[in-house]
């Protein structure tokens, strides 16, 4: 109780814009081509990256939930990349994507394909970031795995006695009971992807030809390189509105597919 | 798991076959299935391990060895000196110390305040609860940047720029909606019967929180602790904004600064990156059994 009061208080303080800026900033935003470009870049990253990312994380979670000897080793291996610091990770992948000496092209050439200009190619730069994001599915995988582990074994035993086969057990028990974890991951992934920053800041600085000028990177430059705090705040509010609408939509839809034990008791 | 392989034993003694072909076939099928899954798992393990292997491999190469195509996996000669060279180039020990301070105090704050808030939202009924929870959730959705500018102005007014405080204090104010939401999600899956029986025995809210829900949520708390540790260790955005003074730099910012200085010495950059990743891996292996190991979300001893 005290804690939540506490929180509401701090958030209040934080959300309140410290400087009132008129609508002039928003008017200028609408005329700013680069703003729309950064929005497009970010949307590209969100709508392509997030679903693929979540799907792969689910597959990984199901795979490492198998009852096999030594499965823990796989869990560890799959998880480890996702704890690498974004900075170290960015520097590493900059090297992997190096058009001349990088591992990515090394592998392509070893199977007889031509190397690509990954981050230097305006068409490929964003997909490169998405590919890079697959490396870190471990974080979501762990949350989904926790969800899988939380499903009481007795449910499966009961289903088996009732003659449900593996597929039915997955669709009727595993997936429904995993929906809270999936929902959580989806929300977090979308919000996170909208705010992609560090990789672009370190690896491409928004290039080539502004192909990886993501929203938050552009905002950062406005605020902390050009010191146009008012403009940046306006951008922040626009982003917030977009994310908010998305999340509300998610919650609206979630009633249809997310299953909570406590909702049975309400 | 009750297998049906023994069903034949329960049939009449006379009709019992000498070799149970059904059982043998089942065993073979099971072995094949396991082999198949091992193959799939191993393939992806190799794919995911490759970048890290390459990181370490590059960090042990001479400058000339890094520019070889196709890439060589095993460096020859192995150059351990890259690590000391990287550490001589910039004061990583200072960055390390700064980072540790932030991580420890911020993680502590997160655990205490996030679990309390999660308890309030999962179990207590108070006026405006759903409204407040909505507020907290909306703070998840707040782009860091929206809070960033006002908080930056606040911290500047407090003269906290170039100190570690802006990176620690916010964690003591709820520990982040992400963690509250996560712990609450887990609390929600714990059966209410536990609380109710404790309440009948006269336990206070705080008692229920600290003696029942929290112990049952140990794996989750450990998970949040590790997430928090990792988050603060890896955090780049906030230190970038608050710490202009190189004496106050964290590992993350130090590494970025290092990259600006040595952008073509890939071997040194990989050594520095490895040095930043390594402590995390050590931590992870120490805490692993807690964290990935059997998480009983339900609080019911199912296994």
């Amino acid at each position: 109780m005290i804690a939540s009061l506490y929180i509401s208080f701090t958030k209040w303080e934080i959300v309140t814009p410290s400087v009132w800026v008129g609508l002039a900033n928003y008017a200028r935003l609408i005329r700013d081509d680069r703003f729309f470009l950064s929005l497009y870049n970010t949307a590209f990253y969100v709508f392509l990256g997030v679903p693929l990312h979540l799907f792969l994380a689910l597959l990984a979670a199901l795979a490492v939930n198998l009852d096999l000897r030594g499965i823990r080793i796989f869990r560890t291996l799959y998880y480890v990349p996702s704890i690498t610091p974004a900075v170290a990770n960015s520097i590493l992948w900059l090297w992997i994507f190096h058009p001349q000496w990088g591992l990515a092209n090394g592998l392509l050439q070893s199977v007889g394909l031509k190397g690509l200009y990954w981050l230097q190619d305006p068409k490929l730069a964003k997909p490169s970031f998405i590919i890079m994001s697959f490396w870190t599915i471990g974080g979501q995988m762990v949350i989904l795995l926790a969800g899988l582990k939380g499903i009481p074994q007795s449910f499966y035993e009961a289903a088996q006695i009732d003659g449900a086969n593996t597929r039915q057990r997955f669709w009727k028990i595993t997936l429904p009971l995993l929906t809270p974890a999936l929902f959580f991951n989806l929300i977090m992934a979308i919000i996170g992807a909208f705010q992609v920053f560090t990789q672009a800041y370190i690896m491409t600085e928004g290039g080539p030809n502004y192909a990886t000028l993501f929203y938050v990177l552009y905002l950062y430059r406005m605020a902390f390189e050009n010191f146009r705090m008012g403009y940046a705040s306006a951008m922040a509010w626009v982003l917030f509105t977009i994310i908010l609408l998305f999340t509300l939509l998610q919650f609206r839809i979630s009633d249809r597919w997310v299953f909570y034990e406590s909702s049975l008791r309400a | 798991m009750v297998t049906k392989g023994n069903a034949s034993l329960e049939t009449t003694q006379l009709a019992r076959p000498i070799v149970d072909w059904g059982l043998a076939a089942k065993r073979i099928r099971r072995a094949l299935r396991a082999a198949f899954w091992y193959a799939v798992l191993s393939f992806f393990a190799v794919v995911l391990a490759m970048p890290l292997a390459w990181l370490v491999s590059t960090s042990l190469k001479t400058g000339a060895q890094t520019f070889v195509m196709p890439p060589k996996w095993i460096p020859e000669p192995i150059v351990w000196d890259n690590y000391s060279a990287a550490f001589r180039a910039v004061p990583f020990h200072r960055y390390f110390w700064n980072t540790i301070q932030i991580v420890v105090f911020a993680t502590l704050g997160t655990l205490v305040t996030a679990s309390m808030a999660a308890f309030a939202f999962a179990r207590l009924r108070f006026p405006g609860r759903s409204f407040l929870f909505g507020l907290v959730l909306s703070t998840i959705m707040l782009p860091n940047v929206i809070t960033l500018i006002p908080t930056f102005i606040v911290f500047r007014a407090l003269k906290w720029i170039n100190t570690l405080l802006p990176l620690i204090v916010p964690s003591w104010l709820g520990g982040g909606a992400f963690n509250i939401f996560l712990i609450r999600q887990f609390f929600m899956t714990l059966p209410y019967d536990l609380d109710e029986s404790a309440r009948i025995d006269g336990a206070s809210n705080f008692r229920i929180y600290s003696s029942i829900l929290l112990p049952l949520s140990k794996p989750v708390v450990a998970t949040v602790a590790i997430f928090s540790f990792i988050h603060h260790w890896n955090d780049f955005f906030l230190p970038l904004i608050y710490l202009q003074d190189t004496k106050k730099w964290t590992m993350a910012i130090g590494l970025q600064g290092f990259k600006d200085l040595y952008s073509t010495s890939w071997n040194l950059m990989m050594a520095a990156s490895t040095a930043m990743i390594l402590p995390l891996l050590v931590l992870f292996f120490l805490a692993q059994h807690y964290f990935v190991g059997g998480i009983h979300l339900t609080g019911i001893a199912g296994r």
Side-chain angles (χ1 to χ4, degrees), chain A residues 72-81 83, chain B residues 52 226 229-230 277-293:
Chain A
R72 278 161 165 260
I73 298 165
F74 290 108
R75 271 178 210 167
T76 307
L77 270 172
Y78 289 10
Y79 182 70
V80 158
I83 60 176
Chain B
L52 278 179
I226 293 177
F229 186 104
I230 292 169
I277 292 174
L278 213 55
L280 282 179
L281 297 191
V282 171
L283 166 93
F284 174 70
F285 282 112
L286 291 177
Q288 204 193 352
H289 68 285
Y290 238 124
F291 166 52
V292 194

Side-chain angles (χ1 to χ4, degrees), chain B residues 7-17:
Chain B
S8 57
L9 297 178
E10 290 149 27
T11 53
T12 55
Q13 290 294 317
L14 286 174
R16 218 177 108 199

Side-chain angles (χ1 to χ4, degrees), chain B residues 1 49 58 89 161 220 232 243:
Chain B
M1 290 276 288
T58 307
I161 304 291
V220 180
H232 291 287
L243 310 173

Side-chain angles (χ1 to χ4, degrees), chain A:
Chain A
M1 179 83 189
I2 290 168
S4 52
L5 268 175
Y6 205 63
I7 290 153
S8 65
F9 173 73
T10 60
K11 299 314 176 197
W12 174 319
E13 182 192 62
I14 286 170
V15 176
T16 315
S18 52
V19 184
W20 169 250
V21 286
L23 287 175
N25 279 322
Y26 293 90
R28 223 172 315 151
L29 267 185
I30 292 171
R31 290 196 301 272
D32 182 354
D33 288 344
R34 205 157 287 171
F35 157 79
F36 285 108
L37 180 62
S38 71
L39 197 56
Y40 163 76
N41 288 339
T42 310
F44 185 100
Y45 185 78
V46 171
F47 293 114
L48 244 90
V50 170
L52 288 168
H53 198 272
L54 187 59
F55 178 68
L56 289 173
L58 175 62
L59 288 186
L62 290 169
V64 298
N65 193 38
L66 290 168
D67 197 9
L68 293 170
R69 197 174 302 215
I71 196 74
R72 278 161 165 260
I73 298 165
F74 290 108
R75 271 178 210 167
T76 307
L77 270 172
Y78 289 10
Y79 182 70
V80 158
S82 69
I83 60 176
T84 52
V87 188
N89 195 333
S90 298
I91 293 174
L92 168 61
W93 282 82
L94 196 58
W95 178 223
I96 288 173
F97 285 136
H98 195 287
Q100 215 176 339
W101 315 112
L103 177 65
N105 282 350
L107 291 174
L108 284 180
Q109 284 167 24
S110 70
V111 293
L113 293 166
K114 270 176 71 102
L116 301 163
Y117 279 97
W118 304 101
L119 296 166
Q120 276 99 323
D121 180 342
K123 275 202 209 62
L124 269 182
K126 281 189 289 286
S128 299
F129 278 131
I130 291 173
I131 290 169
M132 179 179 154
S133 81
F134 294 158
W135 193 52
T136 53
I137 53 175
Q140 295 199 349
M141 180 192 82
V142 167
I143 296 175
L144 294 174
L145 182 64
L148 289 169
K149 292 273 171 238
I151 301 172
Q153 202 60 25
S154 55
F155 288 15
Y156 290 114
E157 284 157 13
Q160 198 152 17
I161 289 164
D162 291 342
N165 61 29
T166 317
R167 196 166 305 153
Q168 282 169 317
R169 288 203 295 267
F170 174 76
W171 288 106
K172 303 275 187 215
I173 299 174
T174 310
L175 214 51
L177 289 175
L178 200 60
T179 47
L182 280 168
F183 180 56
F184 177 77
N185 271 349
L186 185 65
I187 295 264
M188 294 316 296
I190 288 178
I191 292 165
F194 263 115
Q195 300 181 58
V196 55
F197 168 82
T198 307
Q199 299 90 312
Y201 179 90
I202 292 174
M203 293 165 76
T204 57
E205 292 167 21
N209 195 13
Y210 299 108
T212 59
L213 182 70
F214 292 121
Y215 199 95
V216 173
L217 179 59
Y218 187 44
L219 195 154
Y220 168 85
R221 285 184 181 169
M222 278 295 164
F224 297 96
E225 287 174 14
N226 306 337
F227 301 106
R228 292 171 63 186
M229 291 283 177
Y231 197 74
S233 297
M235 279 189 73
W237 279 100
V238 170
L239 183 62
F240 172 55
T241 310
I242 294 170
I243 292 178
L244 184 67
L245 287 175
F246 256 90
T247 311
L248 288 177
L249 187 73
Q250 298 283 353
F251 272 93
R252 199 29 74 75
I253 299 170
S254 78
D255 292 344
R256 287 189 211 157
W257 64 276
V258 179
F259 173 87
Y260 291 107
E261 198 198 346
S262 24
S263 67
L264 292 177
R265 300 163 169 272

